[in-house]
Amino acid sequence: MSQDELLVLIYRKDEKAFTHLYDMYAKSLFSVISVLIKNTEEAEDVLQEVFVKIWKNLDSYNENKGRFYTWILNIARNTSIDRLRSKNFNNSQKNLSTDNFVNLLEDSNKLTNKVDGIGMQEFIKRLKPKCIQIIDLLFFKGYTQQEAAEELEIPLGTVKTHNRNCINDLRNYLKV
């Protein structure tokens, strides 16, 4: 079945069309989702959510604006990002506190200690504790700035200012 034939059936809400749609695109969409969401079960849940969104929102697809595959790919990517940013997903993914993040570099028995050959341990030690916390939340744990502000119990504007200052500190240390 061609994509054009499939779209006609989908617009008619033909139940067989959903099966064809799934068969044609599930593998490629799951690959995209898996790049963003590493947990297989979570990625499968997102894939199911994506197909429901495609089915319910097909009226918003416009052939003149782009290819159908690009449209569903964007739905998959956006749904994955939404899941990553959701509070429940972030809470379930927490496995290291900021203290542990620093301790990994200080523990001589860890493989990560070998990165000290490029000066990483000294670099980390130079950062302010608040910077280590903010960088850990925003860049390693995927928090939004709002979520980081709630986690650290400080105003959003303070998180934004600290983040900007920490990035500037990193640039200065790296001389970039």
Side-chain angles (χ1 to χ4, degrees), residues 100-146:
N100 288 337
F101 172 72
V102 175
N103 291 337
L104 285 175
L105 291 174
E106 294 174 348
D107 186 355
S108 61
N109 296 325
K110 297 285 184 186
L111 176 65
T112 55
N113 196 42
K114 293 184 179 183
V115 299
D116 191 43
I118 60 171
M120 184 62 88
Q121 189 172 18
E122 292 303 314
F123 173 72
I124 293 294
K125 285 181 181 178
R126 284 195 241 172
L127 292 173
K128 299 171 193 164
K130 192 57 85 174
C131 284
I132 293 171
Q133 285 181 316
I134 289 174
I135 288 171
D136 183 44
L137 292 175
L138 295 177
F139 297 100
F140 294 107
K141 292 184 178 171
Y143 280 44
T144 64
Q145 290 180 338
Q146 180 64 45

Side-chain angles (χ1 to χ4, degrees), residues 47-64:
L47 180 66
Q48 183 178 11
E49 187 179 337
V50 166
F51 275 102
V52 170
K53 284 183 178 183
I54 291 168
W55 190 256
K56 287 184 175 180
N57 298 313
L58 191 66
D59 294 337
S60 68
Y61 170 64
N62 183 343
E63 294 176 8
N64 297 326

Side-chain angles (χ1 to χ4, degrees), residues 16 47 68 118-119 122 154 174:
K16 292 178 186 175
L47 180 66
F68 180 70
I118 60 171
E122 292 303 314
I154 58 177
L174 294 171

Side-chain angles (χ1 to χ4, degrees), residues 31-80:
S31 296
V32 170
I33 293 166
S34 296
V35 168
L36 295 168
I37 299 181
K38 306 299 182 199
N39 180 307
T40 303
E41 289 178 19
E42 193 76 28
E44 289 170 350
D45 287 345
V46 170
L47 180 66
Q48 183 178 11
E49 187 179 337
V50 166
F51 275 102
V52 170
K53 284 183 178 183
I54 291 168
W55 190 256
K56 287 184 175 180
N57 298 313
L58 191 66
D59 294 337
S60 68
Y61 170 64
N62 183 343
E63 294 176 8
N64 297 326
K65 291 185 177 181
R67 294 181 21 211
F68 180 70
Y69 181 72
T70 304
W71 183 72
I72 64 172
L73 198 60
N74 283 328
I75 291 173
R77 187 179 70 70
N78 292 339
T79 304
S80 299

